[in-house]
């Protein structure tokens, strides 16, 4: 019963929003679009956006290098218990023909 009430409330909200939105019409839409364009063309906003993008790229690069430095020994096979060692041991163990499920490893 409560689910039906929420659905009806949601549908009523959609109808009210549609009616009010169509009354505002194209004129209001153009006003909002013009305001957004003016804000986007503001030099202070553009500088801030460019600065944020550069900082984001710099932090992403630092994070990539930190993660790759931390895990490179585990991936390339040079450290103890590395992924490369594990893969090699699984390959060597699987050279016997059938695996645990009775299928061929070829």
């Amino acid at each position: 019963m409560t689910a039906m009430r929420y659905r009806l409330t949601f549908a009523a909200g959609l109808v009210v929003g549609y009616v009010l939105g169509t009354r505002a019409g194209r004129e209001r839409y153009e006003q909002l679009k013009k305001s957004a364009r003016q804000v986007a063309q503001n030099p202070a906003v553009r500088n801030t956006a460019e600065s944020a993008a550069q900082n984001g790229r710099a932090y992403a690069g630092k994070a990539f290098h930190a993660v790759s430095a931390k895990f490179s020994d585990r991936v390339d096979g040079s450290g103890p218990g590395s992924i490369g060692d594990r893969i090699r041991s699984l390959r060597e163990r699987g050279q016997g023909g059938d695996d645990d499920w009775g299928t061929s490893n070829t």
Side-chain angles (χ1 to χ4, degrees):
M1 187 67 176
T2 58
M4 183 59 109
R5 182 175 52 178
Y6 289 124
R7 288 181 187 167
L8 288 174
T9 303
F10 180 72
L14 284 176
V15 169
V16 169
Y18 177 77
V19 169
L20 293 177
T22 55
R23 286 195 181 161
R26 184 77 177 172
E27 193 175 307
R28 180 67 179 146
Y29 169 75
E30 292 296 331
Q31 272 183 333
L32 292 171
K33 194 167 112 176
K34 182 180 176 185
S35 298
R37 187 176 297 127
Q38 286 175 345
V39 168
Q41 290 177 348
N42 184 337
V45 172
R46 292 181 87 166
N47 289 338
T48 302
E50 289 173 11
S51 174
Q54 287 176 351
N55 288 338
R57 285 190 292 272
Y59 288 132
K62 287 179 185 178
F64 173 77
H65 290 300
V67 168
S68 63
K70 185 170 182 90
F71 292 105
S72 66
D73 63 333
R74 296 197 57 116
V75 173
D76 66 8
S78 61
S82 68
I83 295 171
D85 287 342
R86 291 180 189 170
I87 291 172
R88 278 189 287 284
S89 70
L90 288 172
R91 281 186 184 155
E92 291 167 2
R93 191 177 77 187
Q95 296 294 327
D98 287 346
D99 60 13
D100 294 338
W101 293 285
T103 58
S104 174
N105 284 332
T106 57

